[in-house]
Amino acid sequence: MSIKNIISEIKKISGSKYIITEDWRKQPYSKGWRYGKGNAFAVVKPGTLIEIWKILELCVKEDIIIIMQAANTGLTGGSTPFGNEYDRPIVIINTMRVNDIHIINEGKQIIGLAGSTLFGLENELDKYGRE
């Protein structure tokens, strides 16, 4: 399947509003805060776990390199491409829209999905008098 067709399939999964293919718009996702930068043919911002799963399924089927990314603030450089010497196309899956936090057991436990943040967690736990 061509890259154009893959992009079309991803749009069917997450919607055209949530796929970025323009170089200037991809830059905040394809360049690390501290180091690391490289090309990806697309950045996708799925809104549900099901969308993530369907995009992963498509990328695996098409032998595409997958880079999972949340806020791109990591110290390791692992959430962005590093150079342009990859042997296959790359897609970045940014998980920040999948940000649900589920409070369990009166705030003693939580389930934080891939895009959840510590700030969001603090806000949720504040309701239970916990930090």
Side-chain angles (χ1 to χ4, degrees):
M1 186 180 301
S2 71
I3 294 297
K4 183 178 177 181
N5 289 341
I6 292 167
I7 289 170
S8 177
E9 290 299 311
I10 292 172
K11 285 179 180 180
K12 290 177 188 175
I13 296 168
S14 287
S16 58
K17 180 178 177 181
Y18 298 108
I19 184 167
I20 301 168
T21 57
E22 300 89 355
D23 287 341
W24 69 274
R25 288 186 59 216
K26 290 186 293 184
Q27 187 174 7
Y29 305 94
S30 58
K31 182 178 180 188
W33 277 44
R34 300 185 190 279
Y35 63 90
K37 148 175 127 168
N39 293 326
F41 75 87
V43 175
V44 187
K45 298 167 76 176
T48 67
L49 291 175
I50 297 295
E51 288 180 14
I52 291 174
W53 170 60
K54 288 179 179 180
I55 294 164
L56 288 172
E57 188 174 52
L58 173 65
C59 291
V60 168
K61 178 182 169 205
E62 297 300 325
D63 200 28
I64 294 169
I65 296 171
I66 301 158
I67 297 179
M68 298 295 287
Q69 179 186 84
N72 190 17
T73 59
L75 298 173
T76 65
S79 63
T80 60
F82 196 84
N84 295 313
E85 304 300 319
Y86 292 90
D87 63 343
R88 296 169 287 151
I90 299 170
V91 68
I92 297 170
I93 301 175
N94 182 282
T95 62
M96 292 303 291
R97 289 184 59 226
V98 185
N99 59 2
D100 292 341
I101 297 172
H102 302 276
I103 305 296
I104 304 170
N105 197 16
E106 296 298 314
K108 293 181 181 132
Q109 296 177 309
I110 66 109
I111 297 173
L113 298 187
S116 61
T117 64
L118 290 175
F119 180 75
L121 177 60
E122 287 175 351
N123 286 339
E124 289 297 317
L125 290 178
D126 188 46
K127 299 171 190 173
Y128 298 90
R130 298 180 59 91
E131 294 183 47

